[in-house]
Amino acid sequence: MKYILVTGGVISGIGKGVIASSIGTILKHCGLHVTSIKIDPYINIDAGTFSPFEHGEVFVLDDGGEVDLDLGNYERFLDVTLHRANNITTGKIYQQVIECERKGDYLGKTVQVVPHITDAIQEWVINVAKVPVTEDGKEPEVCIIELGGTIGDIEGMPFVEAFRQFQFRVSHESFCCVHVSLVPQPKSTGESKTKPTQASVKELRGSGLSPDLIVCRSEMPIIDEVKQKISNFCHVKPDRVICIHDCTSTYRVPLMLEEQGLIQFIAERLQLNIATPVRPKKFMWKWRDLADRHDNVRKVVEIALVGKYTQLEDAYASVTKALQHSALFVNRRLNLSYIEATSLEEATKIENPVKYHQAWQILCRSDGVIVPGGFGKRGMEGKIAAVAWCRTTRKPFLGVCLGLQAAVIEFTRNVMNWKDANTTEIDPESPYPVVIDMPEHNPGQMGGTMRLGKRTTIFHGDSILKKLYGNLGSIDERHRHRYEVNPEFVDKIEEAGLHFVGRDESETRMEIMELPVSAHPYFVATQYHPEYISRPLKPSPPYLGLLLAAVGKLQPYLNNAMASNTTSEDGENSDDDIVGILRRNISNVSLSATSTPVTPSHLSVKSPVVID
């Protein structure tokens, strides 16, 4: 096993997660099996109880783990399935050590940070690094470990000490350290300042770790003289100082690292047989083409996101990424506008009419609307108002989690005339509690008590989403919710025209809601979070449907691109079948076969196809 530790200096949020993910992407394209670990030094057991304003979104894994959003980056870049143990926190480590102490594992010993905490960290890393994260079930060959925060933080000291010991526990050829540091470029002078990087490297070396590679983050490219200066003062070779300046998209980062000799460095430092004198012509060509297409798309699609945590864009990181993946598929540049849900409410019209009308103006000029998940009373009426506008104006709409619940409440109030319909989260005494809390919900214990992780959804009848998923009978998606549609009202709601086309295996939990195409071109909501498994080369079907509807291409796509109509002898779609179907659709849907293969999840395509 080879271990690559990624640390950060000067400031947090410098891009360590993207750098770590990009290193993994390059190694994966070299034919290696790669896994990732994110270390968060906070004392929380997991990210489940965080406010989105604190750390951004809570990312959910297949096994129900609520983790840092950086693990979402790892999964999207590497196309792997991580586990809750891939996110280490101080809380998890201390909890494990204290449990061992209570069981008597350290009987007679004084339990201390060194060696007990540091040993626990090392054992955790070694054990998790061996767990397969790909469908083939093969053990990873390289483990990339991102240490959250910045070097010098008091919370991170036990982890730094653990890796100081760890580098001697494994061989020198099995461990290397990549340090990501800021090189500020003040506009007043235009110079690149190296002192912050020198100070952070000095701090790192003082803790017993020496960086093998320094990645300099800057606004603009830095010149060779600056790299030479960093090399001299930070005790690394000049070719081991890499610059990653601000670029057009994160898809560019792996390409920039590869162009600056990252493969050669890792091959030499970790003695991996991956370096070749000349890279294959098609090396990383899908990734390169994806980055080029992102930069060259000219047509724009306007999407409005009506949410509760819009002050921090990271609160909707996976939603944003899923929209971007789908926008690229339909050959559009995404222009995403964030609308604070409370700004759409009547109370705001009285208190701040300018803010109210500006919010509605943004909503009205959009090509499509998404209402994502959230918790609590604040902004709920604004979300319901946005849903009502989408339904009555036939504007393409996608609701996710709370968005589905808002759509059900809006429909029962305005179509079924149940004016007091509500969720018990907001009004426990409502005469029409169309959304209720689940038996799993424990009001006295917040952490880990929701319906979490991958669950099966079974389709019922024909529907838009079923077609977008390739006419599969069932799908597996990730969940994170405490409330659900009240099954007692389902029959009456369906009689009124709102159809629940996807349900769980027990048939009691509503997973997908749609209005028929005759009533609305795309009015869809899911209780699960489809954004969690969206990938740059495999966009999520619900998000893809929203973008297709927003650009007026949904019906042609559904009519012509249903790969599930042709199956191989064993009943499953073969690559050749799907390729043939998509090729036949080129003339019917005006497709351009000049870009990277980008297809919905659950489909595998060998020919490049993108909506024009």
Side-chain angles (χ1 to χ4, degrees), residues 1-5 27 125-126 129 141-145 163 166-177 212 266-272:
M1 177 66 67
K2 307 295 184 180
Y3 301 91
I4 301 175
L5 176 66
L27 295 179
V125 169
I126 290 172
E141 300 160 277
V142 180
C143 178
I144 299 173
I145 307 155
F163 285 108
F166 189 73
Q167 64 185 329
F168 302 113
R169 181 170 177 171
V170 298
S171 64
H172 178 71
E173 296 77 20
S174 297
F175 179 88
C176 76
C177 179
D212 298 290
I266 291 180
E268 294 172 9
R269 178 65 182 78
L270 297 179
Q271 296 187 2
L272 291 168

Side-chain angles (χ1 to χ4, degrees), residues 581-602:
I581 289 169
L582 289 175
R583 282 175 177 163
R584 287 195 298 273
N585 292 333
I586 290 176
S587 60
N588 296 330
V589 195
S590 182
L591 297 179
S592 169
T594 59
S595 301
T596 306
V598 184
T599 58
S601 301
H602 313 288

Side-chain angles (χ1 to χ4, degrees), residues 368-473:
V369 177
I370 180 169
V371 177
F375 298 93
K377 179 180 180 179
R378 184 179 62 83
M380 187 63 170
E381 293 302 321
K383 291 191 173 191
I384 292 172
V387 173
W389 182 80
C390 290
R391 182 180 57 80
T392 55
T393 62
R394 296 173 60 86
K395 183 69 68 174
F397 163 79
L398 174 63
V400 175
C401 196
L402 184 63
L404 177 142
Q405 297 167 15
V408 171
I409 293 170
E410 187 279 326
F411 187 86
T412 53
R413 285 183 184 179
N414 298 327
V415 176
M416 302 176 67
N417 207 31
W418 295 354
K419 297 303 182 184
D420 294 323
N422 215 324
T423 167
T424 56
E425 182 180 16
I426 296 173
D427 183 8
E429 305 302 323
S430 170
Y432 298 105
V434 292
V435 177
I436 58 174
D437 55 337
M438 299 181 297
E440 295 96 326
H441 175 40
N442 182 350
Q445 182 76 25
M446 298 296 290
T449 59
M450 288 184 278
R451 186 167 179 250
L452 296 165
K454 185 169 71 172
R455 311 285 177 128
T456 298
T457 295
I458 299 173
F459 285 107
H460 288 257
D462 195 21
S463 66
I464 296 174
L465 269 196
K466 184 176 181 180
K467 292 177 181 177
L468 287 168
Y469 276 103
N471 276 332
L472 296 172

